[in-house]
Amino acid sequence: MILVCLDKFRGCLTAAQACAAVVKGVAEAGGRATAMPVADGGEGTLEALARAGYREVQADVTGPTGRPVRAAFAVRGTRAVIEMARASGLDLLPGGEPAPLVADSHGTGALIRAALDHGCLDIVLAVGGSATTDGGAGLLRALGARITDSRGVPLGPGGAALTGVAHVDLSSLDFRLRLARVSLMSDVDNPLTGPSGAAAVFGPQKGASPRDVEVLERGLREFAAVMTRATGRDMSSSPGAGAAGGAGFAALAALGAQRVSGAEFVLGEIGLEEALRGASLVVVGEGRFDAQSLRGKAPVGVAEAAARHGVPVVVVAGDVRLQVADLRSAGIVGAWSLLERAGALEPAISRAPELLAQIGRELTSVVERGGAA
């Protein structure tokens, strides 16, 4: 049996869609395959958790630019998983237009509050895919924090507004947070500020110009200083503080969150270890498989687990940017690239389901050869 554990192909296919296309091809070639979509804490996390008995609960919140959005969080028992991208994600920017200076994380905080209203006291915050660089200030405001300038006037939304921050009052944070356990699901270990911080590294990915990055960096530094005075501890250099434009910082500093690996959490919840016991080949991959994929991302987490079970692993990705030696060191015995197969980016995207099905048909022969691609 072939176990297909693909992450999303960003801008092209969800993890479930990508897995389904490969499974279809395997079946057409007379083979057996099982789809197990994976995620590492970014977009697609709730989708992956659906197979683990989580159910989605809807809530009306505000998107990254303040427009109303209908978002969801996942619940199982008293645990809620909040996917930041559902409320404050890049895909929610009106018209796809970046808003690096004003994008706000308020909607994510509102989802946390909705989860508390639902009776959940085990809150897991998955922070990938955000459009924001506001240090989590909007998230905290939604939970009751008061963030003001030197005159006591509440700050406006977004990271640029933080350049005027003077006071943070956390005394009115939702009291239920004192009873809750909060986990920060992130494989990003960047600090809040500096050359490896949220503004410098991730700001340009969210549309920030060099000048915008300077403004956002200054705002985050001011916010970190004020938060340190308010909490009595400086969490700005903690691993993960720079995740999701600094939402990680807010979770660590104000909510007492503990950082957990997104890939490990999701793979544990969906029952990967048990599924591997019946597998003869494992397929991993995502839109682009590169050096970043080797830094704790879900595909490599799957490959490591497969190695413990002695199951061979191949990668199927939109674009494979690793050398054979790098793939071998990650326990991967073969690779297929949609870009290489299609010859250009546009057909690789437009024909992705067809190309994945083609590869699925070829994978049955890999199984017959004992995993050697």
Side-chain angles (χ1 to χ4, degrees):
M1 185 270 292
I2 298 174
L3 184 62
V4 184
C5 299
L6 298 178
D7 202 341
K8 61 187 173 296
F9 283 45
R10 190 187 298 276
C12 180
L13 297 172
T14 66
Q17 290 169 336
C19 287
V22 174
V23 168
K24 176 176 180 288
V26 172
E28 288 171 349
R32 293 176 51 244
T34 297
M36 181 173 274
V38 300
D40 54 20
E43 306 99 310
T45 295
L46 299 195
E47 184 180 56
L49 291 175
R51 67 174 294 119
Y54 285 81
R55 61 185 178 86
E56 290 194 3
V57 176
Q58 303 290 323
D60 293 314
V61 299
T62 54
T65 58
R67 292 189 178 185
V69 298
R70 185 83 166 161
F73 56 96
V75 173
R76 190 181 68 187
T78 60
R79 171 179 285 167
V81 179
I82 312 294
E83 186 179 312
M84 189 170 181
R86 293 289 187 107
S88 310
L90 286 163
D91 291 344
L92 297 176
L93 291 168
E97 286 294 319
L101 298 179
V102 299
D104 189 76
S105 59
H106 187 281
T108 299
L111 279 184
I112 295 175
R113 192 175 65 240
L116 294 171
D117 291 343
H118 200 74
C120 298
L121 292 177
D122 182 359
I123 308 294
V124 181
L125 181 59
V127 295
S130 81
T132 61
T133 312
D134 71 341
L139 180 157
L140 295 179
R141 285 200 313 274
L143 292 170
R146 182 172 168 79
I147 303 172
T148 59
D149 63 16
S150 59
R151 299 168 298 168
V153 177
L155 293 187
L162 294 176
T163 57
V165 67
H167 304 286
V168 173
D169 181 359
L170 301 174
S171 63
S172 296
L173 278 178
D174 194 307
F175 75 94
R176 294 170 295 184
L177 290 167
R178 301 172 196 168
L179 307 174
R181 178 176 68 178
V182 180
S183 300
L184 174 66
M185 189 197 301
S186 172
D187 293 309
V188 168
D189 57 7
N190 301 65
L192 179 65
T193 59
S196 300
V201 175
F202 304 113
Q205 299 174 15
K206 303 174 186 185
S209 68
R211 174 58 181 158
D212 293 339
V213 169
E214 292 178 7
V215 172
L216 294 169
E217 175 72 11
R218 188 165 71 251
L220 292 175
R221 288 186 181 278
E222 293 293 336
F223 188 50
V226 175
M227 282 286 287
T228 297
R229 292 197 296 271
T231 63
R233 55 181 183 167
D234 182 3
M235 302 296 288
S236 62
S237 297
S238 300
F249 169 71
L252 294 167
L255 307 184
Q258 298 296 311
R259 181 168 166 258
V260 300
S261 164
E264 288 183 12
F265 176 87
V266 174
L267 297 181
E269 290 294 282
I270 65 177
L272 174 67
E273 295 283 345
E274 182 177 349
L276 284 169
R277 294 191 181 99
S280 54
L281 179 73
V282 175
V283 182
V284 302
E286 56 190 337
R288 184 163 69 186
F289 200 78
D290 56 16
Q292 189 68 30
S293 303
L294 302 180
R295 298 185 59 188
K297 291 291 212 62
V300 171
V302 174
E304 291 172 348
R308 293 194 295 270
H309 289 262
V311 183
V313 180
V314 297
V315 63
V316 175
D319 186 12
V320 179
R321 296 195 175 185
L322 293 174
Q323 299 300 314
V324 171
D326 297 319
L327 294 171
R328 298 287 182 183
S329 66
I332 295 166
V333 300
W336 281 261
S337 164
L338 301 193
L339 182 59
E340 182 178 319
R341 181 162 294 222
L345 180 60
E346 191 282 326
I349 293 174
S350 63
R351 297 175 55 210
E354 171 196 341
L355 296 172
L356 288 171
Q358 284 181 11
I359 293 167
R361 290 192 289 272
E362 296 168 13
L363 288 173
T364 55
S365 64
V366 176
V367 174
E368 292 168 0
R369 293 196 301 268

